[in-house]
């Protein structure tokens, strides 16, 4: 069709009420919204997919149409979590529900106790749903079934509240801080296998006066103030001598019968109680002692057996199990009998699949089930899963848009025991470990690239399974597989602030390898141990483990990689160790390790490794005041990372480059850089780096005298650093917040921040020989506080001490700040000759490194000079200034 552009424009405008360009953009944004909700990828990937090349422009256009940014749109559209996904109705128990709700009004610790399969969890969920609005802060559910170690109970509760461990507090102390003023119901499900953690619950109750805890357990906790509420089996009617119409009505009033009838009708449409089957149904419920789980399993077989046949088979199999397992507790015999009876009705292939699936700690998908299935099985895995679902051995759930399967804990216990008896457990464990190793290794490479959020979520979804597999590998002394899996996970552990857990897991495996003298001297074993030691060194430094021990870990892994001539691993370890050394102020060694790493990475054409080396050098140049070199190094690192899609890494380095912008006086450039970095990090939900960006932004606001903005931003940073538990970030942000309070005339709050930072530094770093650059900052801040309150002598002594440290470390920008601080204090003591000399020295050094004085310092320095000009003659002033200009770094070093 031949149409002029103007005619085409008018026609499109007429029918769509927008220009062709606007119409296309509208279509692109509609498609983008659908892709976001479909978990196509992160915001960058969606933007490029629909045709936007500029991420900022895409976000702006999206907000104009939908009123929120793409990230906010995703959060608003996410379905709200419920305590439990219920696919069946809740039968009976109304009296128990009413009693438990009443008890919760009078008691703060209530334990629902009873045998496995009695319905404790379901009752607890129903109670929580009904009473959550009675508590100001609602209710939370903590599921403990997948936790094997009682020591993990506090950290599991932390994750339920989206909290992280803090290096200066135990997990229970973090929880107590968070919950002490909250009016909340905390439901803790399946406590029976972690009862040694009961003392932690007592601490929470003592320190959190408005907290109420509802626990489900097969065992009581033996705590003072614990109200024990027994969850008894469902009532079962007596077997009637004669069945009449009235009898049927009476039988249906019993909840055990109601449950059987409802579940049976789900698998056999139209199933009802009648005169012929009533006695058998009551008999079945009686055989199962009214246990809901056992009744449900039995009812699921109605499509195969009549109630009469079912009653006979059940009676026979239960008796057989009891005769074989007299050492079991009485409450287990009936449930075990019900499970055993249902289990014997499975085919051989179904039994084998059930046994294998019982090893999963958490939910699992079809691929995981296929990975551990028997290759010789005539029944396909998918058909087997369908069959087990039909027979109530499995349930389904949905996570990240995929169907996943899960198994009740009582069934898992039975399946695991059967697997042990079959002597195939070790084979299945290896298959499962291989499956999760493939996922972890794939994630380890992609977690550094463009789909970081997806892969972090993917590993998070499998965390319970991975923990279980690592534990099984350790128990069965499958050390090599354990080391492979553990070392593939270290970046995930770091990203999710699970460094302590990761460190301890790898430490156990390394010790076990040494104890077993596992394949001593083999290249594979040495490689795995080296990787583990490197990962331990990184995680140990981040959570302030023993510095010397972590140095030993790094040195040992570097020796190992040299010995086996593994250049890629050697280069990565040298980079990591170089960074640790540089941030510790050991610049010569840090430079040496980083330089060797860079040469190796270049030979290997490892782009990301090259970028990391540039980042290391950029930090060193920044600290030494070589700002143009630092700018060049950081810029190169960002460029290389963006080339390979490492947007997280790019944002990370941008936060450092913004600090260089700050020193160069390019404040707007730095703030814009940080805003762009935050957009990326918010999409990745990386709280650690968001906190770093906020701290850098607060630093710039402080320098530009926007003190209230600095206060708000730094408070946000501190909240983030607390949640991720980063010692360095907490000290830095507290000190900057304290400095921002001084010009706001809030010396009390300022002192509180400084004292906290100083005490925390002493606690975490004093004897660690770690982070020498950071060591001077808390003291600098205390000196500024003393100067503010008029304690000039103490402030001057502190600043001179800091100046000496910074000169030794050649930290040029910070030397300038210390010289200027000393000059102000000398002037206030009327020692104007020294004041002029120190200011002249700072000025010439700033000119040399191209670091202009920040706005917050300009006025105070000018006032200092004005005061000195009034006190000393012009000629003396000029002579002192000239003398100060000769104070090079070498001369300062000789003086101090």
């Amino acid at each position: 069709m031949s149409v002029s552009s103007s005619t085409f424009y008018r026609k499109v405008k007429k029918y769509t009420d927008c220009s062709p360009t606007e119409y296309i953009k509208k279509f692109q944004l509609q498609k983008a919204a659908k892709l976001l909700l479909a978990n196509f990828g992160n915001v960058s990937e969606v933007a490029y997919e629909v045709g936007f090349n500029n991420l900022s422009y895409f976000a702006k256009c999206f907000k104009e149409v939908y009123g929120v940014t793409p990230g906010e749109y995703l959060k608003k559209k996410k379905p709200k979590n419920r305590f439990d996904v219920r696919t069946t109705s809740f039968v009976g128990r109304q009296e128990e529900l009413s009693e438990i709700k009443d008890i919760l009004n009078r008691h703060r610790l209530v334990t629902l106790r009873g045998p496995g399969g009695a319905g404790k969890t379901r009752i607890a969920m129903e109670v929580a749903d009904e009473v959550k609005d009675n508590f100001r802060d609602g209710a939370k559910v903590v599921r403990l079934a997948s936790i094997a170690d009682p020591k993990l109970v506090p950290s599991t509760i932390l994750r339920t509240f989206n909290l992280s461990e803090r290096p200066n507090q135990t997990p229970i102390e973090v929880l107590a801080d968070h919950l002490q003023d909250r009016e909340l119901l905390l439901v803790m499900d399946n406590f029976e296998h972690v009862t040694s953690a009961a003392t932690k619950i007592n601490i929470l109750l003592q320190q959190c006066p408005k907290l109420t805890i509802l626990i489900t357990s097969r065992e009581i906790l033996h705590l003072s103030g614990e109200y024990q509420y027994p969850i008894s089996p469902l009532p079962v009617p007596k077997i009637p001598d004669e069945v009449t119409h009235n009898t049927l009505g009476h039988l249906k009033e019993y909840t055990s019968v109601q449950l059987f009838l409802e579940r049976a009708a789900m698998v056999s449409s139209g199933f009802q109680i009648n005169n012929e089957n009533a006695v058998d149904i009551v008999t079945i419920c009686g055989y199962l002692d009214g246990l809901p789980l056992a009744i449900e399993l039995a009812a699921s077989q109605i499509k195969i057996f009549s109630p009469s046949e079912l009653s006979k088979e059940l009676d026979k199999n239960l008796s057989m199990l009891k005769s074989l397992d007299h050492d079991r507790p009485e409450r287990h015999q009936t449930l075990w009998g019900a499970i055993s009876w249902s289990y014997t009705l499975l085919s051989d292939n179904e039994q084998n699949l059930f046994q294998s699936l019982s090893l999963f700690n958490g939910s699992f998908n079809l691929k995981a089930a296929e990975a551990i299935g028997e290759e010789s099985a005539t029944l396909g895995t998918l058909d087997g899963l369908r069959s087990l679902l039909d027979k109530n051995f499995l349930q389904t759930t949905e996570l990240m848009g995929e169907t996943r399967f899960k198994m009740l804990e009582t069934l898992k216990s039975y399946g695991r025991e059967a697997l042990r008896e079959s002597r195939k457990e070790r084979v299945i464990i290896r298959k499962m470990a291989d499956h999760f190793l493939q996922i972890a290794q794939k994630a380890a490479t992609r977690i550094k690239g463009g789909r970081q959020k997806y892969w972090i979520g993917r590993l998070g979804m499998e965390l319970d399974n991975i923990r279980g597999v690592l534990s099984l590998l350790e128990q069965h002394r499958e050390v090599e597989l354990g080391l492979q899996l553990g070392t593939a996970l270290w970046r995930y552990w770091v990203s999710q602030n699970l460094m302590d857990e990761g460190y301890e897991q790898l430490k156990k495996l390394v010790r076990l390898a040494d104890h077993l003298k596992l394949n001593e001297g083999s290249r594979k074993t040495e490689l795995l141990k080296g990787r583990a030691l490197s990962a331990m060194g990184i995680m140990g430094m981040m959570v302030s483990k023993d510095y010397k021990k972590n140095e030993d870990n790094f040195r040992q892994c570097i020796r190992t990689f040299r010995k086996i001539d593994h250049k890629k691993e050697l280069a990565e370890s040298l980079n990591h160790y170089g960074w640790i050394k540089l941030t510790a102020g050991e610049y010569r060694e840090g430079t040496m390790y980083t330089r060797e790493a860079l040469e190796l990475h270049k030979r290997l054409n490892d782009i990301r490794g090259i970028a990391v080396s540039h980042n290391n050098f950029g930090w060193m140049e920044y600290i030494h005041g070589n700002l143009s070199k630092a700018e060049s190094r950081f810029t190169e690192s960002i460029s290389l990372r963006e080339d390979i899609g490492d947007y997280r890494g790019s944002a990370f380095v941008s936060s450092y480059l913004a600090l260089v912008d700050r020193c160069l006086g390019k404040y707007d450039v730095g703030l814009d850089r940080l805003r762009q970095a935050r957009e990326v990090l918010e999409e990745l939900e990386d709280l650690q780096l968001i906190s770093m960006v906020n701290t850098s932004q607060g630093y710039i606001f402080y320098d530009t005298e926007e003190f209230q903005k600095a206060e708000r931003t730094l408070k946000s940073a501190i909240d983030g650093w607390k949640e991720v538990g980063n010692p360095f970030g907490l000290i830095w942000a507290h000190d900057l917040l304290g400095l921002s309070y001084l010009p706001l005339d809030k010396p009390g709050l300022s002192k509180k921040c400084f004292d906290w930072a100083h005490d925390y530094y002493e606690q975490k770093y004093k004897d660690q020989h770690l982070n020498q650059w950071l060591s001077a900052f808390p003291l600098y801040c205390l000196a500024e506080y003393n100067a503010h309150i008029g304690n000039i002598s103490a402030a001057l002594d502190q600043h001179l001490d800091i100046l000496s440290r910074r000169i030794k470390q050649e930290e040029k920008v910070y030397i300038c700040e210390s010289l200027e601080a000393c000059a102000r204090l000398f002037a206030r003591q009327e020692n104007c000759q020294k004041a002029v000399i120190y200011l002249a020295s700072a000025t010439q050094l700033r000119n040399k490194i191209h670091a202009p004085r920040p706005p917050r310092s300009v006025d105070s320095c000018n006032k200092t000079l004005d005061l000195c000009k009034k006190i000393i003659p012009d000629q003396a002033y000029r002579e002192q200034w000239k003398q100060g200009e000769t104070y090079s770094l070498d001369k300062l070093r000789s003086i101090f």
Side-chain angles (χ1 to χ4, degrees), residues 667-668 671-672 674-675 678 693-718 733 736-737 739-741 743-744 746:
Y667 303 111
D668 290 340
L671 289 173
D672 186 58
L674 292 170
R675 277 192 290 269
R678 185 186 288 104
V693 165
N694 285 337
T695 307
S696 297
Q697 190 177 48
Y699 207 165
I700 292 177
F701 285 143
Y702 169 68
D703 268 358
T704 55
E705 299 183 305
E706 297 178 86
F707 301 118
Q708 290 180 332
K709 282 186 179 180
E711 179 185 5
R712 289 194 300 270
T713 307
L714 290 166
K715 281 182 176 179
S716 177
I718 287 170
L736 286 172
L737 179 59
L739 288 174
S740 301
Y741 278 139
L744 293 173
K746 297 179 180 179

Side-chain angles (χ1 to χ4, degrees), residues 164-167 717-726 730 734 756:
S164 297
E165 296 182 12
R166 301 175 193 164
I718 287 170
D719 289 340
W721 288 127
K722 282 181 179 177
E723 190 165 339
V724 301
N726 186 296
L730 281 168
H734 269 92
W756 189 96

Side-chain angles (χ1 to χ4, degrees), residues 305 308-318 341 345:
F305 297 102
S308 175
E309 293 169 330
L310 191 56
S311 173
K312 291 172 185 175
E313 288 291 325
L314 186 58
D315 179 45
K316 183 170 56 179
N317 285 341
L318 276 173
W341 168 78
L345 296 177

